[in-house]
Amino acid sequence: MIPQNILGQIIQAQSLNIANKDIGLKRDALQFLPNLASHALIVSGIRRCGKSTLLFQLLSSKYPEALYLNFEDPRLYEFENKDFLRLDELIREQNLSVLMFDEIQIIPEWERYVRQKLDEGYKIVVTGSNASLLSRELGTKLTGRHITKELFPFSYHEFISHQKLKPSAESLINYLTIGGFPEYIKERADDILNHLFEDILIRDIAVRYSIKDVRTLQRLAQYLISNVGKPVSGNNLKKIFEVGATSTVLEYLSRMEYSYLLHFVPKFSYSIKKQIANPRKVYAIDTGLVNVNSGSFTEDNGRKFENLIFLHLRRTYKEIYYFSEKGECDFIAFKNGAFHQAIQVCYELNPDNLDRELNGMIEALELFNIEEGILVTISQKDQFEKNGKIIHVIPAHEYLLK
């Protein structure tokens, strides 16, 4: 429980802190945020990807009189559900109409309070770093009253804008190495990404879900981030880490995905049973995070490059599969249940891999009766026609700006 005068002081201190901050590079996502009306705007994404900065930019550009409150402030550790009544009084005293709550999901029954404020006519923005908690609570209490947007670390466009670089293979390789976490781009201290990786595992997963075997969780996460682009299955991971039940491994994987640390891409099949039974490919939220935390002793540039293209697709599509029959195609993207595009990824095309890359793509295009596909490389540009299908070869620095 927090006295009302102390709560007021915390709000004022946070507001002063924002006023003195450099709100940084204007995020691309800012232009796609809807105007606040009768729906709460929910911004979700991994820790340290810039959600708070996005709120600051929204405050600066559209809602300078809004109330902002970050619930991860150590001074709010004692905040209880009853303290919402004190917060209400402060909101009324200041005659506010727009409320912005950072990481509010750590407060029990927060969604009831947000629903109440919506019903009272307030405009509300909420951020959170756990997709599971947000979706579960939103689904029960805010059905039909919220719009959710995801925020990721810097895109390639944001990276080169921030670094004042031109689109090129060289700047693309820099982005592949450094990744998109704003603080790491600025400081280039590996400890930042080491601590972030550990914070997510401990604070967002182990503590939040009362996982006792933290060591196995850490070993599993480190294995997965060291093997991006590779297929994994619950049964195989159970054997590798000698976990008692496959269900335990699957629980760990889902927690990592809900915290946005890792993503798991299923093999395409019209059969849901086969999709579930087949291994899924693992990708990380950021290639810089992979480079700093991977235990692999090889460069794995091809798989990291594939990870980078996945992240570009994931910003637009939620339905992404890999295709694997006689040949393989790295990504099949769907929108609203309908096929949208096929993307093959190859770090560098050469005589040894050309037929393999083209054949896998053509097999996928034939299945979906599509005439054209995209093959993304580090720097090559070309076009191939085979079996009546056209494959456009595009360098990544062009593809990532489309």
Side-chain angles (χ1 to χ4, degrees), residues 270-323:
Y270 286 112
S271 165
I272 300 298
K273 278 188 176 180
K274 287 183 179 178
Q275 278 187 29
I276 295 171
N278 281 308
R280 294 179 294 166
K281 283 190 175 183
V282 58
Y283 297 99
I285 189 63
D286 179 75
T287 52
L289 197 69
V290 173
N291 287 320
V292 171
N293 291 285
S294 172
S296 174
F297 292 103
T298 59
E299 286 293 327
D300 290 331
N301 285 329
R303 296 193 185 278
K304 291 173 191 172
F305 183 49
E306 186 179 318
N307 198 133
L308 194 71
I309 303 306
F310 164 77
L311 291 172
H312 176 71
L313 289 169
R314 181 60 182 77
R315 286 179 167 87
T316 303
Y317 302 99
K318 289 194 176 182
E319 300 173 77
I320 303 173
Y321 304 89
Y322 71 91
F323 175 87

Side-chain angles (χ1 to χ4, degrees), residues 107-158:
I107 307 300
E109 299 188 355
W110 67 269
E111 70 283 2
R112 291 179 183 271
Y113 180 70
V114 169
R115 178 62 189 244
Q116 172 199 326
K117 303 317 285 179
L118 280 174
D119 290 342
E120 292 172 6
Y122 287 90
K123 296 177 180 180
I124 297 177
V125 185
V126 169
T127 77
S129 55
N130 191 288
S132 172
L133 286 175
L134 288 173
S135 62
R136 184 174 69 235
E137 292 157 346
L138 294 171
T140 56
K141 301 296 189 305
L142 287 176
T143 304
R145 297 295 303 276
H146 69 279
I147 298 170
T148 300
K149 297 291 182 181
E150 291 179 310
L151 187 68
F152 294 81
F154 277 4
S155 65
Y156 175 60
H157 173 256
E158 290 170 323

Side-chain angles (χ1 to χ4, degrees), residues 329 332 339-343 358 360-375 383-393:
C329 181
I332 306 293
F339 174 89
H340 212 255
Q341 61 173 315
I343 304 93
L358 294 182
M361 167 67 83
I362 289 166
E363 188 181 358
L365 294 176
E366 288 175 343
L367 176 66
F368 295 105
N369 196 27
I370 301 297
E371 300 305 313
E372 300 182 21
I374 296 171
L375 197 160
Q383 182 172 299
F384 297 95
E385 187 171 349
K386 189 173 182 180
N387 294 2
K389 307 296 182 185
I390 298 174
I391 311 300
H392 302 280
V393 180

Side-chain angles (χ1 to χ4, degrees), residues 139-184:
T140 56
K141 301 296 189 305
L142 287 176
T143 304
R145 297 295 303 276
H146 69 279
I147 298 170
T148 300
K149 297 291 182 181
E150 291 179 310
L151 187 68
F152 294 81
F154 277 4
S155 65
Y156 175 60
H157 173 256
E158 290 170 323
F159 176 81
I160 60 174
S161 297
H162 183 272
Q163 297 295 100
K164 297 180 172 55
L165 300 172
K166 293 181 179 180
S168 66
E170 183 180 2
S171 65
L172 188 282
I173 291 171
N174 283 341
Y175 178 55
L176 180 65
T177 303
I178 297 166
F181 279 103
E183 190 179 358
Y184 183 67

Side-chain angles (χ1 to χ4, degrees), residues 30 33-37 39-44 51-52 54-56 58-59 62-63 66-71 97-104 110 114 117-118 122-128 134 142 146-147 149:
L30 194 63
L33 297 180
N35 289 323
L36 302 181
H39 291 63
L41 171 61
I42 313 297
V43 180
S44 64
K51 296 187 298 298
S52 297
L54 185 68
L55 286 197
F56 302 159
L58 194 58
L59 274 165
K62 289 187 176 181
Y63 307 107
L67 176 137
Y68 170 83
L69 190 57
N70 181 355
F71 284 92
S97 61
V98 181
L99 312 175
M100 296 189 176
F101 299 130
D102 224 344
E103 300 292 349
I104 196 176
W110 67 269
V114 169
K117 303 317 285 179
L118 280 174
Y122 287 90
K123 296 177 180 180
I124 297 177
V125 185
V126 169
T127 77
L134 288 173
L142 287 176
H146 69 279
I147 298 170
K149 297 291 182 181

